[in-house]
Amino acid sequence: MDELYAEAHHWEVNTGGETIHAKRMPGKWRRIKWLAASVWLIFFLGPYVQWNGRQAVLFDIPNRQYHLFGVTVLPQDFWMLSLLLLFFAILLAVATALAGRVYCGYFCFQTVWTDVFTWIEERLEGSPPQRRKLDKAPVDARKLRIKVLKHAIWLVIGFLTGFSFVAWFYGAGPLWRDFFVGGANAAVYASVALFTFGTYLLAGWLREQVCFWLCPYARIQGVMLDKSTVVPAYDVARGEPRGRVKKGDLEETRTTGDCVDCNQCVAVCPTGVDIRNGQQEGCITCGLCIDACNAVMDKVGRPRGLIRYASLDELEGQSVKPMLLRPRVWVYTAILALALSGIIYGLSTLAAIELKVLHERAPLYVQLSDGSIQNKYTLKILNKSETDLKVEISAEAPVPLTLMGAEEPIAVKHGEVTPAIVFIKIGRSDLDGERLPVTFVATTQLPDGTQVSAERENAFFGPSR
């Protein structure tokens, strides 16, 4: 318990009492961080990608249609969304189990936006010491000009974030047409305003405080790690005891470890933690401390890797279990495969029309004056295409039947469910039992000439023999 208290005592947790101005240093992990962050360009540019004359990906909530390139998903097929959410949730768990908060460090929108905001801050205000000096300086014309320009750029980025988000749901073209002339609805303006000031507040002001106190993932990621998880780690055995490098020191007479106590690993950390005190809540696994430490090791002529991606087992000199021998990897992989298979199956089996058949229960059947038996059915035809269709209905059974109520094609509007009532009549002499299978078939022709159909089996009921 004393050891745990001592370790926690050295954790660096900034509670918002000071603004962290992280130093920027070039390096391998900084380049990877920028490349990973560039994935978010899809968020801004995606709404402008066209597919067959319309926006390639459009979540059309008012019309309850979700267009994904050549596929249109309706609410009836939204079970695939559950599988998609499950897929990404498990993928996040896999990434955390294998490499800690790697999502936070490289892909999280909060981390990426904060990185962009602080990059702008550095371009305008200078290095971290210069920024701290400017913050403490009295307000004059120069400070006011720099601060106003910085916050204006932050607000513009926030506005573009909100505008791009709404474009995925409203349509990029219609949004540009309606937004600036007051033609959009109140929900559009409210959403853009919320994202504008939310982005400005979270990425510009709260920054790492979101990672510490607001993000639920930061609270649960600790239970996903184990001794085999690879995270940025300080090699205590190699680095301690720390000591400054002095001119004239000889390697063979050196009594200190490789850590020269330069604090560059702390200076570049976007959350202000000292990785030398062990893995802690504030570490977002971005690897920037590795770049800083490697640069210092190069200068003092010592091997790289004092801070590196490593597991606790590796640092303790224990054998590292291969990834494929870890049970949790197999469990996660199986869940991912099942979820992905379900999504692929759902997308591949989407049809232009869907048919459901409801049998009338009261009465179950009616005997007509000619002795034949009649059953009543309610058909529900869902048009998943983007155009109105004319659907023809037919029915099949092992015995001759007469279908009534579907002599003419049924007009079905796109994206809607159209009900239709039909009757089936079968001669009493043709019934050899109380129940007979009946198959309804809905057939239509799409605008491109493609013939599509949907089938649904039901039952025909009659009196007992």
Side-chain angles (χ1 to χ4, degrees), residues 78-90:
F78 232 53
W79 57 270
M80 288 185 287
L81 176 62
S82 301
L83 291 180
L84 185 64
L85 295 177
L86 174 64
F87 177 83
F88 282 112
I90 298 299

Side-chain angles (χ1 to χ4, degrees), residues 132-150:
R132 296 188 187 96
K133 183 178 179 181
L134 183 65
D135 288 343
K136 297 177 181 179
V139 178
D140 56 16
R142 175 180 174 274
K143 180 175 180 178
L144 187 62
R145 173 176 55 83
I146 293 175
K147 293 291 186 181
V148 169
L149 178 58
K150 180 185 74 172

Side-chain angles (χ1 to χ4, degrees), residues 5-272:
Y5 176 80
E7 179 183 354
H9 182 69
H10 291 290
W11 280 14
E12 309 293 335
V13 179
N14 177 19
T15 58
E18 61 175 318
T19 300
I20 293 179
H21 294 290
K23 181 178 180 180
R24 289 178 178 269
M25 293 184 65
K28 170 185 174 182
W29 298 106
R30 166 53 72 181
R31 290 193 298 272
I32 293 176
K33 184 174 175 65
W34 278 122
L35 288 173
S38 65
V39 172
W40 281 99
L41 289 174
I42 298 174
F43 172 80
F44 292 98
L45 302 179
Y48 303 97
V49 178
Q50 297 294 303
W51 185 273
N52 291 336
R54 60 167 173 78
Q55 188 168 312
V57 180
L58 176 63
F59 305 100
D60 189 357
I61 293 179
N63 294 319
R64 297 181 299 173
Q65 295 182 0
Y66 310 95
H67 304 289
L68 304 174
F69 294 92
V71 177
T72 298
V73 181
L74 299 181
Q76 289 82 356
D77 299 308
F78 232 53
W79 57 270
M80 288 185 287
L81 176 62
S82 301
L83 291 180
L84 185 64
L85 295 177
L86 174 64
F87 177 83
F88 282 112
I90 298 299
L91 185 62
L92 186 61
V94 171
T96 305
L98 299 180
R101 294 175 66 180
V102 65
Y103 168 78
C104 296
Y106 295 95
F107 298 101
C108 175
F109 54 88
Q110 169 66 21
T111 302
V112 172
W113 265 248
T114 298
D115 206 23
V116 172
F117 275 38
T118 54
W119 178 81
I120 293 170
E121 189 174 60
E122 185 172 271
R123 299 280 77 78
L124 295 175
E125 298 184 0
S127 64
Q130 291 173 323
R131 300 206 294 272
R132 296 188 187 96
K133 183 178 179 181
L134 183 65
D135 288 343
K136 297 177 181 179
V139 178
D140 56 16
R142 175 180 174 274
K143 180 175 180 178
L144 187 62
R145 173 176 55 83
I146 293 175
K147 293 291 186 181
V148 169
L149 178 58
K150 180 185 74 172
H151 289 282
I153 294 175
W154 283 0
L155 284 171
V156 169
I157 294 176
F159 172 79
L160 291 176
T161 301
F163 195 86
S164 299
F165 176 80
V166 173
W168 288 95
F169 299 87
Y170 196 88
L175 185 60
W176 280 102
R177 182 192 64 218
D178 298 341
F179 187 87
F180 297 101
V181 296
N185 57 55
V188 169
Y189 294 105
S191 298
V192 173
L194 179 64
F195 270 84
T196 298
F197 292 102
T199 303
Y200 171 75
L201 176 65
L202 296 179
W205 291 92
L206 294 181
R207 298 183 182 181
E208 78 288 339
Q209 297 303 304
V210 176
C211 303
F212 277 119
W213 313 115
L214 299 182
C215 177
Y217 178 56
R219 288 289 183 261
I220 65 175
Q221 59 88 25
V223 300
M224 300 182 186
L225 309 182
D226 58 24
K227 297 179 69 175
S228 63
T229 302
V230 176
V231 293
Y234 170 67
D235 193 338
V236 178
R238 176 183 155 188
E240 302 294 326
R242 308 170 195 173
R244 298 281 184 176
V245 176
K246 298 180 182 178
K247 187 176 181 180
D249 285 350
L250 299 177
E251 186 68 23
E252 54 271 15
T253 60
R254 180 163 58 95
T255 59
T256 59
D258 282 352
C259 180
V260 297
D261 206 19
C262 62
N263 283 321
Q264 290 302 298
C265 56
V266 182
V268 300
C269 181
T271 59

Side-chain angles (χ1 to χ4, degrees), residues 258-310:
D258 282 352
C259 180
V260 297
D261 206 19
C262 62
N263 283 321
Q264 290 302 298
C265 56
V266 182
V268 300
C269 181
T271 59
V273 303
D274 189 341
I275 195 64
R276 295 171 297 179
N277 293 332
Q279 184 62 209
Q280 46 201 286
E281 182 186 14
C283 179
I284 58 173
T285 321
C286 63
L288 298 181
C289 55
I290 301 177
D291 285 337
C293 186
N294 285 342
V296 173
M297 292 296 103
D298 291 343
K299 291 179 180 180
V300 299
R302 295 175 184 173
R304 289 186 164 201
L306 177 60
I307 300 177
R308 62 184 185 275
Y309 274 101

Side-chain angles (χ1 to χ4, degrees), residues 391-460:
V391 179
E392 296 180 354
I393 301 297
S394 61
E396 302 171 354
V399 299
L401 60 80
T402 301
L403 177 64
M404 298 172 291
E407 293 80 5
E408 297 294 331
I410 301 172
V412 183
K413 292 185 178 181
H414 66 281
E416 294 186 8
V417 176
T418 300
I421 296 177
V422 299
F423 300 88
I424 288 182
K425 183 172 67 171
I426 296 179
R428 177 68 181 270
S429 60
D430 292 324
L431 294 175
D432 57 0
E434 297 181 11
R435 181 186 179 100
L436 187 71
V438 176
T439 301
F440 289 86
V441 180
T443 306
T444 188
Q445 184 172 324
L446 300 181
D448 61 1
T450 304
Q451 197 86 4
V452 296
S453 63
E455 296 184 359
R456 178 71 66 169
E457 185 173 312
N458 209 286
F460 185 91

